[in-house]
Amino acid sequence: MTTDNKALVPVWTLATEAVTMADVLGDEGMTRARLAELRTVLAMLADSPIVTLEAHPLSKKSNRNGGIVLHAASPLAKQLSNLVTETAKSAPPTLNVAATGEVLYRMVVPAKVAAQVGKGLVNPMASKAVAGGVYSALRDSTGVVANATFVPVAGKAAVAGAATGSAATAGVAVASAGALTVAAPLVLMAIAVSASAYADHQRQKAIERITDLLEQLHDDNLDSERNELEACPDAIDKATSILLDQGRIGLSLGLDSSSHAISTAIAATRRRLKKWQAGLDSLPDGPVEVGALTKSFPGIDEEGGAFRAHLEIARLAIALKRRVLVLQAVEHAQQDTNNPFKSFIGSLRDDERGIDELESGISSVLLRLSTLELKRDGGFRIPAFTSGEVDHLLKAAYLLRALGDGINGGFQQADVAIEIERSGDGSLVVFPALAA
């Protein structure tokens, strides 16, 4: 994915506000482990969010899906180019940071900042290969991860530039020694696009599962719910493109009707969640009969039951709602020219609290279901179990255990990496956040 393991990799330290602190990075090269340690120190000592940005030359494009494409004239692309251009003169002579070509930018957001942005938006993507594992950024470039030398850039130069402004401002300000590069709009836009990509990735997974389930159920009401939600991404995608290009969202996009459909689905999910919680509370202590469980959770003992369809529709609605929240937060931040990043975080925190609680409630229900013990209907009786009863009971038990898989509540918030691929023509692809 990148060049050989002896490459020198430039790394910028970016702040969202003007802060002055000890020059912990220095001028010498460092290992990835050392960079991670220093990043932790910076996150702890600084009052404002601080991220690092690396630039790796690409030998070939990745085969990852789920990224959002931005053209060369987009604000994020301009900000990256401006950062490189303005800081080139302060780079060590061994680096050519202003070189054109294909580049993998890797912005690492400390866990402290990722938690502020939102647990449902900047999360490590769970790995299917290893239980409890997460994908690692740059996983196809072992040499660079292990042995590349990271060289600080822009630590001791004074460059004119706007430190604040709307998200459209390609503002970069590099102050004297001990101060960090101020690039609030760049950090804001990178996190916003990656968060939107992550939410859309969740949406696509939910749609795939819903389609499979509804083909088995033949439920017209659920089909209608799915169709209304699937009609929403078109307006959301258009609004995302317009906002990322600093445009104004008009009524002609249909975002209002899409937002209404999503809110309706969220309300239905909250109602179903209350029923699920009440159903769990009504179950007796100890082993539970399958029949008693299916009264509150129809089809839970089947791979294509109604409960699982309701669950996937809830996940789809939540994913779409998170994309809308990102749009609202970006729009709000663009109106605050003094500190767009703080405005973005504040808006997200206020709006996503209810969605976080809803998602947490669903996860709690799934966890409780996954730990239930089952017994056959009627308890112990003569004659003994038939082979059909045994198969059904085992299948139901396995399906219950599987409900606990993939619950994100067990992940401890970690540093996350936002990968941005830049093509030779200046266009970008921003991917969902990965574990750093």
Side-chain angles (χ1 to χ4, degrees):
M1 186 173 181
T2 60
T3 55
D4 62 86
N5 58 13
K6 296 180 181 179
L8 294 176
V9 177
V11 56
W12 292 265
T13 308
L14 308 180
T16 57
E17 295 180 56
V19 292
T20 301
M21 57 190 305
D23 186 7
V24 296
L25 289 179
D27 296 322
E28 300 298 324
M30 66 190 79
T31 63
R32 176 170 292 278
R34 178 59 176 160
L35 178 60
E37 292 175 358
L38 294 176
R39 188 166 53 237
T40 301
V41 172
L42 288 171
M44 293 176 59
L45 296 180
D47 294 330
S48 70
I50 293 176
V51 305
T52 56
L53 180 70
E54 306 160 14
H56 301 263
L58 279 173
S59 58
K60 64 178 181 178
K61 293 292 185 66
S62 71
N63 56 0
R64 287 170 56 191
N65 297 320
I68 291 181
V69 179
L70 302 175
H71 53 71
S74 67
L76 181 57
K78 288 181 177 179
Q79 289 160 23
L80 283 172
S81 296
N82 188 57
L83 173 69
V84 172
T85 301
E86 293 295 333
T87 59
K89 64 193 73 174
S90 65
T94 51
L95 288 178
N96 184 13
V97 298
T100 59
E102 296 185 339
V103 181
L104 174 72
Y105 289 100
R106 184 172 182 265
M107 179 180 290
V108 179
V109 182
K112 175 181 175 182
V113 182
Q116 291 177 332
V117 173
K119 66 178 182 181
L121 289 172
V122 183
N123 249 351
M125 293 172 62
S127 170
K128 295 181 180 179
V130 180
V134 294
Y135 288 122
S136 173
L138 295 176
R139 57 190 180 275
D140 293 330
S141 52
T142 307
V144 168
V145 170
N147 299 314
T149 299
F150 295 84
V151 182
V153 178
K156 296 183 185 254
V159 179
T164 59
S166 72
T169 307
V172 175
V174 184
S176 59
L180 304 170
T181 306
V182 181
L186 192 158
V187 177
L188 160 65
M189 295 303 288
I191 290 179
V193 180
S194 181
S196 187
Y198 179 85
D200 194 58
H201 175 77
Q202 300 298 98
R203 175 190 68 84
Q204 292 174 11
K205 289 198 302 182
I207 285 180
E208 292 172 1
R209 291 190 292 253
I210 290 171
T211 301
D212 292 339
L213 290 169
L214 294 188
E215 286 177 354
Q216 302 174 53
L217 282 174
H218 305 291
D219 189 310
D220 291 339
N221 290 331
L222 291 178
D223 267 332
S224 178
E225 282 190 57
R226 187 264 311 266
N227 291 338
E228 286 189 16
L229 288 175
E230 283 193 15
C232 297
D234 184 51
I236 294 175
D237 289 342
K238 290 177 181 176
T240 300
S241 299
I242 289 174
L243 271 181
L244 295 179
D245 286 339
Q246 296 305 293
R248 294 286 182 180
I249 298 177
L251 294 176
S252 61
L253 286 179
L255 189 60
D256 286 349
S257 59
S258 295
S259 182
H260 174 72
I262 295 169
S263 296
T264 301
I266 291 293
T269 297
R270 288 197 171 98
R271 185 181 67 253
R272 286 168 181 155
L273 175 60
K274 289 181 179 179
K275 289 184 177 179
W276 295 340
Q277 291 169 332
L280 278 171
D281 293 340
S282 66
L283 294 176
D285 296 333
V288 177
E289 293 182 0
V290 176
L293 184 62
T294 56
K295 286 183 180 179
S296 298
F297 303 90
I300 195 172
D301 57 337
E302 305 170 11
E303 292 183 359
F307 169 73
R308 296 173 192 278
H310 288 151
L311 181 61
E312 295 305 331
I313 286 177
R315 287 170 171 162
L316 174 58
I318 288 172
L320 288 170
K321 184 65 174 179
R322 289 199 183 281
R323 282 206 70 184
V324 172
L325 292 181
V326 174
L327 291 179
Q328 293 171 339
V330 171
E331 187 175 32
H332 184 73
Q334 289 176 355
Q335 297 170 1
D336 186 348
T337 59
N338 292 323
N339 197 321
F341 190 80
K342 276 190 175 180
S343 179
F344 172 74
I345 288 181
S347 179
L348 265 183
R349 186 183 295 120
D350 292 341
D351 292 337
E352 73 174 354
R353 188 175 295 112
I355 297 300
D356 287 343
E357 291 174 355
L358 176 61
E359 194 167 40
S360 177
I362 293 174
S363 295
S364 177
V365 165
L366 295 179
L367 187 60
R368 290 175 65 185
L369 285 171
S370 70
T371 58
L372 289 178
E373 295 183 32
L374 296 181
K375 64 181 180 181
R376 73 175 180 178
D377 295 340
F380 299 100
R381 64 179 189 272
I382 303 297
F385 282 101
T386 66
S387 60
E389 287 177 323
V390 172
D391 290 343
H392 181 228
L393 195 60
L394 285 175
K395 181 180 179 181
Y398 288 139
L399 289 173
L400 278 187
R401 297 295 177 270
L403 289 175
D405 298 339
I407 295 178
N408 292 332
F411 283 121
Q412 183 177 1
Q413 186 70 61
D415 293 357
V416 297
I418 297 170
E419 293 186 357
I420 305 170
E421 287 188 357
R422 181 185 183 276
S423 299
D425 61 2
S427 62
L428 307 176
V429 180
V430 184
F431 293 101
L434 297 169

